[in-house]
């Protein structure tokens, strides 16, 4: 493609993976044989999202907002309740069996806790070869051996690691193994679900740098899921913010942090502690009242209206705001985004609402606790 | 006089047939009345074990605690179980990362608060109930009267942590130890709890030891900060001095490795090389030496002592354990 002479050549965006109105609703079952559906957890409730080839898309939001479920649904590891996923232009929804398996090679996942995703009884070598075998990429001892050594060196591990077992490595090294394993099948897309949140900060930085290097080296596309906003801001080109199963804002990483437009994003960004006392002393926090509502009973209208300091009497609790483009590349799902941005609407106080927890009464076994609090604290 | 004075605190774990493991290796620090003091460091550096040994909460067997932890004039480490339990309700209290494990699942929240009030403040049940509702209200639990009858599992994580803080503060302790009280919570809930803690200690004059691995939390909350590495304090200073002029290569390295929300994008992070598995014992030099960019031969031969650091003391005294501190332009 040739760019018009008058404008600087912006790289054209080629979608690699597209989610089209994805919904994932988990049934809540009750009864002895667990067959009566009494409701649904609206884990992902209508998300449109595009990850372009070669970019890093960061997905943030608080615990339970549906990030992992969305990631899994996009790889068809969880079957979406409705909606479509296109990978490289091909609709995955209808794909099954061998075709799907072949397609899967091109999308790999990296998890938070490398230990739980790596079989402790398998040596690193056998962990790495496994995927290659499954996709007929193991073309003989010599070439496979060479490839494994190359991969290990790419993730910063010595080739002696091949003979070792996962427990012989530190957390950071295990995450490197997890990444190497994803790379064995030469994927285009890596979905990394909280790839650094189990690591110490000093080691976190090593893995973040590694992910960046590998992206350059192998031309990878990343969908990075994380709750740490500073990490996401650092590695992502574009960021999507989720709240209770929906995207509430999406923008380039720079725009999102420079001018967050959704009230939830504003509160989220203002809540992150910054390791600088001067900044901390000056900062104005938007403290949200109360807890996240249950995804089994999401609020009507805008899902954020029960906690939103800018909530208006009109529309907010009746109409669900669509994700609309407000400035180029910046999408926001708030009825009043422009007025809030322009200072025409001011924040007000919010009374916290009670959020009832969705629990069955625990059975007797789980009630065998200590007799009192002070006793728990006793030696 | 310091409210709490910890000197040469050492905790060695030993199980039968296993090599002894020194989790806390000579920790010194002070807490002044009403002061908020941070203990910060990465996983396994001994933060929780330090707190548990001061509170007398370590398991009875399998460990040896030596050194001293003086609360006013009382040596805490040699108190009997009964004496310690009494202190714990009254003078010292602790809040943990996981509130569910420190709340009793079968007793309503209200009763868990009134129990403390009846025991340590000699209140009648009726009076304690009124006070309990008041406490829950102060820690921001909506509709406190109704919540008194509810069980811990009926509360969200954030509300449980509030309830635990209410219990900890029920007896107006002079020292509260909070061990990663917000680590399990979402960032918006964390902000609520941190604001609450800051407000409560300010209003009541309670001293607070804040244990965390999050330098951002420390930067906003603590008057004094102790950075721990491998079971020892390696640097101590006021938060402004420490963050503006980090002198220990470990502190400096940590600050360089964290992606910051307010930094210009696109800068590459500078991680600390290796991991804590590379540490050497403090007895043979500086534990951080194998990972330290400033390390020299001295560092693996001579154990650095904790000494006042003239260059780093801008606003207050500064202590440092390092042979080759990070050279810093000290702001005027
Ligand atoms: N297999 C399942 N069956 C029923 N409910 C589920 C299932 N998986 C997830 N959920 C629910 O769906 C919601 C979204 O979960 P999800 O794991 O996607 O959140 P998340 O954003 O990844 O959270 P976290 O940051 O804690 O990982 C939660 O309420 C969760 O309890
Ligand atoms: N009961 C115990 N028996 C044996 N070793 C223990 C015990 N409790 C803690 N340790 C060890 O002591 C060291 C210090 O542990 P501690 O829990 O104080 O770390 P921490 O700084 O609180 O880390 P984190 O940030 O992960 O909570 C660790 O190596 C830990 O494995
Ligand atoms: S739509 Fe209303 S409730 Fe939702 S974020 Fe915007 S102002 Fe707040
Ligand atoms: Mg998740
Ligand atoms: Mg701990």
């Amino acid at each position: 493609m040739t760019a018009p002479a008058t404008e600087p050549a912006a790289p054209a965006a080629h979608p690699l993976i597209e989610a089209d109105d994805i919904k994932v609703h988990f049934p809540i079952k009750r009864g002895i044989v667990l067959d009566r559906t009494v409701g649904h957890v609206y884990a992902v409730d209508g998300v449109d999202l595009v990850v372009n080839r070669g970019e890093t898309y960061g997905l943030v939001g608080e615990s339970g907002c549906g990030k992992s479920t969305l990631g899994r649904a996009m790889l068809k590891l969880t079957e979406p309740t409705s909606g479509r996923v296109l990978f490289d232009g091909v609709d995955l929804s209808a794909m099954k069996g061998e075709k799907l398996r072949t397609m899967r090679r091109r999308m790999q996942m990296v998890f938070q806790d490398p230990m739980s995703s790596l079989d402790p009884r398998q040596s690193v070598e056998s962990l790495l070869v496994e995927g290659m075998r499954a996709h007929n990429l193991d073309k003989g001892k010599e070439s496979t051996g060479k490839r494994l050594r190359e991969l290990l060196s790419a993730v910063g591990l010595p080739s002696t690691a091949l003979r070792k077992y996962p427990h012989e490595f530190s957390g950071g090294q295990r995450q490197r193994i997890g990444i190497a394993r994803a790379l064995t099948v030469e994927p285009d897309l890596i979905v990394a679900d909280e790839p650094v949140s189990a690591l110490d900060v000093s080691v976190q930085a090593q893995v973040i740098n590694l992910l960046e290097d590998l992206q350059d080296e192998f031309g990878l596309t990343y969908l990075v899921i994380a709750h740490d906003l500073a990490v996401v801001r650092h590695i992502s080109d574009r960021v999507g913010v989720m709240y209770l199963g929906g995207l509430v804002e999406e923008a380039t990483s720079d725009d999102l942090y420079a001018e967050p437009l959704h009230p939830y994003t504003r509160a989220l960004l203002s809540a992150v502690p910054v390791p600088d006392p001067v900044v901390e002393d000056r900062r104005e926090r938007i403290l949200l009242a109360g807890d996240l509502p249950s995804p089994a009973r999401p609020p009507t209208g805008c899902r954020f209206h029960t906690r939103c300091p800018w909530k208006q009497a009109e529309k907010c609790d009746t109409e669900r705001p669509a994700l609309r483009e407000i400035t180029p590349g910046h999408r926001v799902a708030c009825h009043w985004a422009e007025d809030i941005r322009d200072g025409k609407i001011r924040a007000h106080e919010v009374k916290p609402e009670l959020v009832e927890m969705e629990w069955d009464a625990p059975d007797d076994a789980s009630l065998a606790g200590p007799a009192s609090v002070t006793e728990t604290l006793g030696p | 006089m310091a409210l709490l004075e910890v000197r040469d605190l050492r905790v060695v774990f030993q199980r039968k047939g296993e090599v002894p493991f020194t989790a806390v290796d000579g920790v010194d620090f002070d807490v002044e009345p009403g002061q908020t003091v941070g203990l910060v460091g990465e996983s396994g550096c001994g933060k929780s074990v330090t707190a548990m040994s001061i509170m007398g909460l370590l398991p009875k067997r399998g460990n040896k605690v030596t050194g001293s932890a003086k609360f006013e004039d009382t040596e805490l480490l040699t108190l009997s179980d009964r004496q310690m339990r009494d202190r714990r309700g009254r003078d010292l209290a602790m809040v943990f990362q996981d509130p569910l494990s420190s709340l009793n699942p079968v007793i309503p929240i209200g009763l868990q608060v009134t129990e403390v009030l009846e025991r340590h403040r000699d209140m009648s049940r009726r009076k304690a109930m009124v006070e309990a509702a008041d406490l829950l209200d102060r820690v921001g639990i909506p509709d406190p009267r109704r919540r008194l009858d509810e069980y811990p599992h009926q509360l969200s994580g954030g509300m449980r942590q509030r309830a635990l803080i209410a219990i900890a503060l029920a007896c107006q302790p002079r020292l509260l130890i909070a061990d990663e009280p917000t680590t399990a919570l979402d960032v918006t809930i964390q902000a609520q709890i941190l604001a609450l803690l800051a407000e409560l200690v300010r209003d009541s004059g309670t001293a607070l030891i804040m244990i965390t691995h999050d330098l951002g939390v420390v930067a906003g909350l603590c008057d004094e900060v102790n950075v721990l590495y491998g079971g020892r304090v390696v640097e101590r200073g006021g938060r402004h001095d420490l963050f503006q002029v980090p002198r220990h290569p470990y502190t400096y390295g940590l600050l360089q490795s964290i992606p910051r929300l307010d930094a210009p994008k696109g800068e590459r992070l500078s991680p600390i090389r290796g991991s804590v598995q590379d540490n050497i014992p403090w007895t043979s030099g500086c534990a951080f030496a194998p990972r330290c960019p400033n390390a020299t031969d001295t560092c693996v031969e001579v154990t650095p002592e904790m000494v006042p650091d003239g260059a780093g003391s801008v606003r207050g005294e500064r202590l440092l354990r390092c042979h080759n501190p990070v050279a810093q332009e000290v702001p005027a």
Side-chain angles (χ1 to χ4, degrees), chain B residues 183-196:
Chain B
T183 305
L185 303 174
D186 277 322
V187 59
T188 60
I189 308 294
Q190 161 168 291
Q192 295 171 356
I193 300 288
L194 291 178
L196 173 69

Side-chain angles (χ1 to χ4, degrees), chain B:
Chain B
M1 195 186 74
L3 179 68
L4 178 74
E5 201 179 276
V6 178
R7 289 292 174 272
D8 201 26
L9 181 68
R10 215 168 281 270
V11 181
V12 181
F13 289 103
Q14 175 150 40
R15 289 220 184 76
K16 257 207 196 105
E18 278 177 31
V19 196
F21 173 76
T22 309
V24 177
D25 196 3
V27 160
D28 300 323
F29 69 95
D30 289 345
V31 181
E32 304 293 331
Q35 200 182 31
T36 295
V37 171
L39 296 185
V40 62
E42 293 175 287
S43 188
C45 70
K47 305 181 294 293
S48 299
V49 173
T50 298
M52 301 290 267
S53 59
I54 295 170
M55 293 291 285
L57 293 173
L58 286 174
K60 286 226 84 60
R61 276 169 227 286
N63 63 73
K64 193 159 172 265
V65 182
T66 56
S68 152
K70 274 213 181 91
F71 184 82
E72 293 175 326
D73 283 325
T74 313
E75 174 56 60
L76 297 176
L77 299 187
T78 53
L79 288 184
S80 72
D81 289 352
R82 254 202 69 208
Q83 288 169 321
M84 192 65 218
R85 208 163 334 168
D86 191 44
R87 285 267 163 185
R88 243 187 340 253
R90 217 156 23 84
D91 294 331
L92 309 143
M94 191 156 170
V95 175
F96 299 88
Q97 172 172 343
D98 174 15
L100 202 53
S101 69
S102 27
L103 288 168
N104 188 324
V106 290
I107 299 182
I109 296 288
L111 224 51
Q112 306 203 34
V113 184
T114 54
E115 188 197 312
V116 183
L117 293 169
E118 286 168 46
R119 178 136 133 200
H120 293 287
R121 279 172 68 189
D122 288 325
M123 286 189 183
S124 65
R125 171 63 57 90
R126 182 194 289 243
K127 192 149 176 277
M129 268 302 183
V130 178
E131 174 79 12
D134 194 47
L135 273 166
L136 294 191
D137 188 44
R138 268 179 59 207
V139 299
I141 295 182
D143 201 356
R145 294 196 158 278
R146 191 173 140 206
R147 294 274 134 167
L148 288 175
D149 298 328
E150 297 198 331
Y151 292 87
H153 67 264
Q154 291 174 291
L155 301 183
S156 68
M159 287 299 156
R160 271 179 219 142
Q161 197 55 284
R162 287 172 194 268
L164 205 60
I165 292 172
I167 293 170
L169 294 178
C171 293
Q172 300 154 345
R174 274 169 299 157
L175 177 64
L176 175 65
I177 303 183
D179 189 356
E180 308 262 10
T182 57
T183 305
L185 303 174
D186 277 322
V187 59
T188 60
I189 308 294
Q190 161 168 291
Q192 295 171 356
I193 300 288
L194 291 178
L196 173 69
L197 270 177
E199 185 192 314
L200 291 173
V201 296
R202 196 184 50 229
D203 293 352
S204 62
T206 302
L208 172 66
I209 298 179
M210 182 72 186
I211 296 178
T212 175
H213 65 276
D214 188 333
L215 286 162
V217 169
V218 170
L221 194 65
C222 300
D223 304 311
E224 286 275 323
V225 186
N226 296 283
V227 181
L228 272 80
Y229 191 82
R232 285 196 187 183
V233 179
V234 295
E235 180 162 28
R236 172 186 170 94
R239 64 178 173 135
H240 283 282
D241 283 359
L242 191 96
F243 283 90
Q244 227 167 62
V245 195
R247 292 272 291 158
H248 197 284
Y250 174 62
T251 315
Y252 181 79
L254 275 184
L255 286 169
Q256 293 292 306
S257 10
I258 320 176
R260 274 179 60 163
L261 209 51
D262 59 339
K265 203 183 133 49
E267 269 175 30
R268 202 172 159 80
L269 301 174
S270 325
I272 302 175
R273 68 176 175 229
S275 73
V276 290
Q277 294 193 332
D278 304 319
N279 290 2
I280 59 170
W282 278 111
T283 42
S284 46
C286 172
F288 186 60
R291 306 178 66 193
C292 180
N294 289 11
T296 55
D297 291 346
T298 318
C299 301
V300 291
E301 285 157 7
V302 184
T303 304
E305 295 296 325
M306 191 76 166
V307 291
D309 172 40
S313 306
V314 185
R315 276 168 253 230
E317 217 208 2
R318 188 80 176 270
L319 295 169
L320 184 64
R321 186 191 293 283
C322 176
H323 294 304
N324 307 302
V326 180
Q328 289 272 16
E329 293 282 320
V330 176

Side-chain angles (χ1 to χ4, degrees), chain A residues 60-329:
Chain A
V60 291
E62 295 177 287
S63 186
C65 70
K67 305 180 294 295
S68 299
T69 306
L70 177 59
R72 294 177 57 84
M74 288 180 72
L75 298 190
K76 244 192 145 201
L77 295 169
T78 296
E79 194 64 44
T81 310
S82 69
R84 287 194 315 162
V85 177
L86 301 183
F87 185 83
D88 212 1
V90 183
D91 190 350
L92 293 185
S93 329
M95 215 177 248
K96 284 202 186 68
E98 185 58 24
K99 265 202 157 148
L100 181 62
R101 213 179 61 81
T102 316
M103 203 62 154
R104 279 249 170 84
R105 178 192 63 74
R106 301 178 56 193
M107 10 175 171
Q108 292 296 308
M109 195 143 179
V110 169
F111 299 92
Q112 166 174 357
D113 178 9
M115 203 54 187
S116 69
S117 60
L118 299 174
D119 180 351
R121 290 158 307 178
Q122 269 182 295
S123 69
V124 170
E125 176 161 13
S126 100
L127 281 166
L128 295 183
V129 172
E130 202 175 44
M132 295 175 72
R133 291 236 165 92
H135 292 287
N136 298 322
L137 293 167
D138 178 15
K139 303 253 160 62
K141 228 180 158 101
E142 205 166 307
S143 69
T144 299
K146 183 159 168 282
R147 167 114 184 103
L148 292 187
R149 283 191 300 277
E150 278 168 12
L151 273 175
L152 282 180
S153 125
V155 299
L157 289 173
S159 52
T160 50
L162 283 177
R163 257 179 274 289
K164 295 191 180 170
Y165 291 82
H167 72 264
E168 296 177 70
F169 296 91
S170 69
Q173 289 171 323
R174 285 200 289 262
Q175 195 53 289
R176 290 170 194 271
I177 297 170
I179 293 167
R181 187 164 73 149
L183 292 176
T184 53
V185 294
E186 301 166 33
D188 299 320
L189 171 75
I190 288 188
V191 175
D193 192 351
E194 305 277 4
V196 297
S197 48
L199 305 175
D200 271 334
V201 280
S202 66
V203 177
Q204 212 176 62
Q206 298 169 3
V207 173
I208 291 172
N209 283 352
L210 173 66
L211 286 171
E212 291 176 346
D213 293 344
L214 293 172
Q215 181 163 44
D216 292 344
E217 191 174 342
F218 298 106
L220 296 165
T221 304
Y222 289 144
L223 174 61
V224 176
I225 297 169
H227 66 275
D228 185 326
L229 280 100
V231 167
V232 167
R233 140 106 212 252
H234 180 86
I235 63 173
S236 308
D237 300 303
R238 291 191 304 133
V239 176
V241 181
M242 278 185 86
Y243 187 80
L244 276 185
L247 268 187
V248 295
E249 184 160 6
E250 181 189 72
T252 62
S253 170
D254 286 338
D255 284 354
L256 189 88
Y257 290 85
E259 195 180 39
L261 293 175
H262 195 282
Y264 176 64
T265 316
R266 288 188 164 203
L268 203 56
L269 290 178
S270 86
V272 179
V274 172
D276 183 342
V278 181
V279 176
E280 282 293 307
D281 288 353
R282 277 203 310 251
R283 196 150 197 230
E284 272 188 51
R285 287 228 147 83
I286 303 167
L287 284 184
L288 290 183
D291 292 308
L292 202 71
S294 156
R297 269 179 283 132
T300 56
C302 171
R303 306 230 146 141
F304 187 54
H305 86 255
T306 53
R307 299 167 82 201
C308 179
W310 284 269
K311 183 201 153 195
Q312 299 299 300
E314 209 182 311
K315 284 203 212 167
C316 290
D317 56 357
T318 49
E319 256 176 68
R320 189 167 179 198
L323 193 64
R324 36 188 195 102
E325 189 160 49
I326 289 194
T327 52

